[in-house]
Amino acid sequence: MNKHSSLRSASDLEAKGLIAPAERIGIEEVARRFSVAITPAMADLIGGPPTEDPLAAQFVPDQRELVFSAEELADPIGDEAFSPVPGIVHRYPDRVLLKPLHVCPVYCRFCFRREMVGPEGENLTNAELETALAYIAGNPAIFEVIVTGGDPFALSPRRIRGIVEALSAVGHVGVIRFHTRVPVVAPERVTTELVESLGSDKAVFVALHTNHVRELTPAAREACTKLVKAGIAMVSQSVLLRGVNDTPEALTALFRALLTLRIKPYYLHHGDLAKGTGHFRTSIAEGQALMRELRGNLTGLGQPTYVLDIPGGHGKVPIGPGYLEKTQEGYVVTDPQGGTHAYRG
Ligand code: SF4
């Protein structure tokens, strides 16, 4: 391991001082079950143990990951059931996921695809990628392609360009969206070559996965700015995580910072029922209370939609707090400060 390489094992973590020697055997057991990787950019930000530091909590393995509850699932969002050909998930008529790889530069401890991602995860072969692209070209209902994985920005710019060019040539595809954590966790990968590989006549979106304002280092901000200046539209996705961002202050700081980078906060995901992630999950009531507080204190542009992926592959739905209650005469509406008002209409 040199200072420029990612941490991938209990001994790497111990050498970097991120776990104590006494924790090593337990962490080795976690690492045998779920992949481990922490990039230098993230390792350098960690300033304490997972129970105290929001960056450590997201990336440093923890023995609580070996505690599984009965409701947790290997495929919590049900990708498998909607996969007509390898690498494609087609859940809604007008959009598909295209998953060319299962590798990520970091392995988040709460990952919803933690049973599928990892360095041993199989990437699509060239023939499988051709088949997946042919599936998209052969389905005129597909308007949007969401390139995900794994992290598609872990691919070489040459391979990204190949995917963008193939999708750009499909007349009925209007939007190409990349889901990535790279601009935050490995900003040095956002090179001019990578940015150029996203060039297309189609609308190209990048959805950035980020959960805490401390992830938005100067290098991460520069990487995002490069993408925005190249005409890429950016939105963000965050996961509501206990001990990471489950306070109004943490969420407000994150969403405001994103807005200043011209990144629209898009989704706040309720924690999925992935195995060994119970210590991260808040209750839905807690999530709704947070969203209610944000509504009164944060500009509307900074409000993401709080969503739940229904287990079993039944899709994603908004689960934010309700502000409208039906009465016999009309409605009672709750304002952002909690006051109630009759509305007849
Ligand atoms: S970057 Fe996304 S897919 Fe990769 S480990 Fe993190 S949550 Fe999972």
Side-chain angles (χ1 to χ4, degrees):
M1 180 189 66
N2 68 45
K3 72 184 171 82
H4 300 299
S5 50
S6 293
L7 311 175
R8 295 188 176 275
S9 66
S11 49
D12 288 353
L13 296 168
E14 189 186 337
K16 180 80 179 169
L18 297 183
I19 60 168
E23 293 176 285
R24 182 171 164 174
I25 289 178
I27 297 299
E28 278 171 353
E29 204 184 328
V30 178
R32 274 194 292 276
R33 185 71 173 79
F34 300 113
S35 303
V36 173
I38 310 179
T39 53
M42 292 297 100
D44 288 347
L45 288 180
I46 293 173
T51 46
E52 290 168 21
D53 182 283
L55 278 301
Q58 292 186 67
F59 303 119
V60 176
D62 184 309
Q63 290 210 52
R64 289 174 292 178
E65 292 172 50
L66 297 177
V67 179
F68 301 161
S69 65
E71 67 274 13
E72 290 177 343
L73 304 163
D75 180 16
I77 66 168
D79 279 353
E80 288 298 312
F82 292 88
S83 184
V85 297
I88 293 280
V89 178
H90 197 175
R91 201 186 317 270
Y92 307 94
D94 76 334
R95 52 208 184 270
V96 289
L97 303 185
L98 170 62
K99 301 195 288 184
L101 80 173
H102 289 103
V103 174
C104 298
V106 287
Y107 292 108
C108 310
R109 308 322 304 163
F110 50 85
C111 175
F112 62 125
R113 293 203 179 106
R114 60 190 334 216
E115 306 273 351
M116 295 107 179
V117 296
E120 283 88 39
E122 283 187 16
N123 296 344
L124 288 191
T125 61
N126 286 342
E128 285 171 331
L129 182 58
E130 289 297 314
T131 304
L133 292 168
Y135 178 86
I136 294 167
N139 281 273
I142 297 172
F143 170 72
E144 183 182 24
V145 179
I146 299 159
V147 189
T148 180
D151 193 319
F153 279 11
L155 294 169
S156 68
R158 184 182 60 80
R159 294 207 65 199
I160 295 173
R161 183 189 299 278
I163 291 171
V164 171
E165 281 178 357
L167 294 174
S168 300
V170 180
H172 54 262
V173 170
V175 174
I176 305 167
R177 183 188 348 158
F178 283 83
H179 280 190
T180 182
R181 210 150 166 36
V182 160
V184 158
V185 300
E188 70 284 355
R189 289 189 73 99
V190 183
T191 56
T192 304
E193 217 189 337
L194 183 141
V195 174
E196 284 175 0
S197 74
L198 300 169
S200 171
D201 290 339
K202 306 280 177 169
V204 177
F205 279 68
V206 167
L208 177 71
H209 171 184
T210 179
N211 302 313
H212 194 276
V213 71
R214 271 178 51 212
E215 294 169 31
L216 298 171
T217 60
R221 289 169 191 245
E222 200 184 315
C224 295
T225 301
K226 267 191 208 163
L227 291 163
V228 170
K229 282 194 171 165
I232 309 286
M234 286 189 74
V235 296
S236 71
Q237 301 199 81
S238 305
V239 185
L240 180 58
L241 297 166
R242 188 179 296 291
V244 174
N245 58 15
D246 60 333
T247 63
E249 295 76 20
L251 291 174
T252 300
L254 174 63
F255 298 145
R256 282 193 177 151
L258 287 166
L259 281 182
T260 65
L261 293 167
R262 301 180 207 163
I263 303 172
K264 165 80 184 86
Y266 176 43
Y267 278 149
L268 177 66
H269 294 268
H270 186 71
D272 289 310
L273 291 171
K275 283 189 189 281
T277 61
H279 54 294
F280 283 116
R281 266 193 306 280
T282 66
S283 67
I284 288 179
E286 287 171 292
Q288 289 178 327
L290 283 165
M291 289 305 296
R292 199 180 283 279
E293 187 133 355
L294 291 191
R295 177 60 56 188
N297 295 301
L298 175 66
T299 167
L301 263 185
Q303 308 274 340
T305 306
Y306 178 40
V307 289
L308 174 73
D309 248 306
I310 305 170
H314 303 290
K316 201 181 275 107
V317 285
I319 55 165
Y323 294 91
L324 202 58
E325 201 181 311
K326 185 88 183 86
T327 62
Q328 268 185 342
E329 300 78 34
Y331 296 93
V332 171
V333 193
T334 305
D335 67 36
Q337 283 69 41
T340 53
H341 311 271
Y343 179 83
R344 295 203 177 152

